[in-house]
Amino acid sequence: MRVVALVPGGIGDQILFFPTLDDLKRYYPNAQIDVVVEPQAKAAYQVSKSVHEVLAFDFKDRNSLADWGNLVGSIRDREYDVAIAVGQSWSIGLLLWLTGIPIRIGYKGKGSIFLTQAVPLKPSQYGAAAYHELLQPLGINTPVPELAVNVPKPDIEWAQKEQKRLGVHETGYVLIHGSSEQLSQAKEQDKIYPVENWEQIIQDFQHKQPDLPVVAIKGAEDDQFVRSLLRSSPDVKVTAPSDIGKLTAMIAGANLLLSTDSAALQLSVAVQTYTIALFGPTDPAKLLPKNDKFLAIKSPTGKTADISPKTVLEKVWGG
């Protein structure tokens, strides 16, 4: 059986889809599973153990008829038996119908007229559980499994060397992920947590737990954020994993991750690291499973910046 899943969204969305892919592979071990994702999200599949091939397509771009035609052609050439569409897009439904794939599964909505089976979308539930319900037409009705990732051995070895370089391999460490990750849209801007707030949190950590180092994650867009942190807190250590496997391995080795709503948050859930997550416009119930290891702080205004450092520290020391 050949299966293709169309999964718009970023890296965090892909990781939330991993349990669906893993369960599909568990029930149909001989299935070949491919995914079509946005170019910036391809990196997520470095830590997936269930996917055969990752195809890139920019769902959000103003695609021409030729772009859509090329995607239809690529999918038709692979002769899939089953297609799974994440989302309720009319255009994606039409695209799948044009491919001629015999079993086309998605959510009820605008594009479901083009599907062979549609399941109701429950928008208030945990995202991974909502995705997992797309397997029901294939006879898979089990509860959603926990998020899991497969970290390549070289990335684990890199993280071990990195922990020694930072001098945290014996003490343990707290990870800070306050990345701005190309947050250009207004709603995305509401996910940013100000550097001055992070500074207060770090200083309190260093006062109460002076033997537990604080390590900041530096991504491609984080130069200014990290420089500002180091000006006020020069004892903060910095790690710059070059890919998602190395980032996952560093998160797995941490005692605690403090993070805004980002891909790092989902990786932390997958490796079961204690996590405190700061949410602005998004609903924590959709992004975090019910587990005492993962604590959410929701902004009262919908802007992450309006969460006070005091509130975060109360969660850290009391949670």
Side-chain angles (χ1 to χ4, degrees):
M1 181 169 74
R2 301 197 69 178
V3 182
V4 63
L6 281 68
V7 194
I11 288 176
D13 298 297
Q14 307 306 317
I15 296 163
L16 283 167
F17 194 63
F18 279 14
T20 299
L21 295 167
D22 294 345
D23 241 10
L24 182 58
K25 191 69 174 175
R26 189 176 300 118
Y27 278 83
Y28 297 95
N30 295 322
Q32 180 180 303
I33 304 169
D34 298 342
V35 292
V36 182
V37 304
E38 289 165 31
Q40 70 272 21
K42 282 186 71 174
Y45 290 90
Q46 183 184 341
V47 292
S48 169
K49 58 182 183 291
S50 299
V51 168
H52 173 259
E53 186 178 5
V54 182
L55 308 175
F57 184 79
D58 196 341
F59 293 100
K60 294 180 181 176
D61 197 11
R62 297 181 66 180
N63 296 294
S64 66
L65 284 175
D67 295 326
W68 287 106
N70 289 337
L71 179 59
V72 169
S74 295
I75 293 175
R76 285 182 72 99
D77 289 345
R78 288 168 171 79
E79 297 182 343
Y80 293 110
D81 304 293
V82 178
I84 299 173
V86 173
Q88 297 171 294
S89 164
W90 181 89
S91 56
I92 296 297
L94 174 60
L95 179 146
L96 289 181
W97 179 73
L98 291 171
T99 64
I101 296 171
I103 299 174
R104 302 182 300 277
I105 301 167
Y107 293 117
K108 290 180 179 176
K110 295 177 183 175
S112 59
I113 189 174
F114 299 109
L115 304 174
T116 58
Q117 283 116 330
V119 300
L121 174 64
K122 301 170 186 172
S124 60
Q125 73 181 140
Y126 176 42
Y131 289 155
H132 192 260
E133 291 187 347
L134 290 168
L135 297 180
Q136 289 177 359
L138 297 175
I140 302 173
N141 295 290
T142 51
V144 59
E146 292 182 338
L147 265 63
V149 290
N150 185 43
V151 185
K153 186 178 178 182
D155 293 333
I156 295 172
E157 292 170 348
W158 177 88
Q160 291 168 343
K161 291 177 183 175
E162 178 73 348
Q163 288 158 14
K164 288 180 180 177
R165 181 187 74 81
L166 296 170
V168 300
H169 59 293
E170 293 180 348
T171 58
Y173 52 98
V174 173
L175 265 182
I176 299 286
H177 190 262
S179 166
S180 54
E181 286 187 4
Q182 304 174 1
L183 303 180
S184 55
Q185 298 176 15
K187 187 177 179 181
E188 298 297 297
Q189 290 285 331
D190 290 343
K191 295 182 180 180
I192 294 175
Y193 199 56
V195 173
E196 54 269 25
N197 288 18
W198 283 119
E199 290 167 352
Q200 291 182 52
I201 292 166
I202 290 167
Q203 288 164 10
D204 192 79
F205 252 110
Q206 292 174 332
H207 174 70
K208 291 180 179 173
Q209 292 278 1
D211 298 326
L212 187 62
V214 175
V215 179
I217 299 169
K218 180 183 175 184
E221 305 294 317
D222 300 331
D223 278 350
Q224 185 175 347
F225 171 76
V226 170
R227 280 201 302 268
S228 299
L229 272 186
L230 291 174
R231 277 197 294 269
S232 62
S233 306
D235 292 335
V236 169
K237 300 174 186 293
V238 178
T239 185
S242 59
D243 57 53
I244 196 167
K246 295 177 178 63
L247 173 60
T248 306
M250 281 301 291
I251 293 171
N255 298 51
L256 171 69
L257 173 74
L258 280 171
S259 176
T260 52
D261 175 11
S262 66
L265 171 61
Q266 299 305 331
L267 294 171
S268 192
V269 172
V271 297
Q272 295 281 305
T273 292
Y274 281 97
T275 304
I276 295 178
L278 282 57
F279 288 94
T282 43
D283 180 359
K286 296 181 182 179
L287 294 177
L288 285 180
K290 292 180 180 178
N291 187 313
D292 291 342
K293 279 190 170 183
F294 315 124
L295 303 177
I297 303 174
K298 178 77 170 86
S299 169
T301 65
K303 295 183 178 181
T304 309
D306 291 334
I307 300 172
S308 72
K310 181 183 177 184
T311 300
V312 177
L313 290 165
E314 284 174 353
K315 205 76 164 179
V316 169
W317 304 122

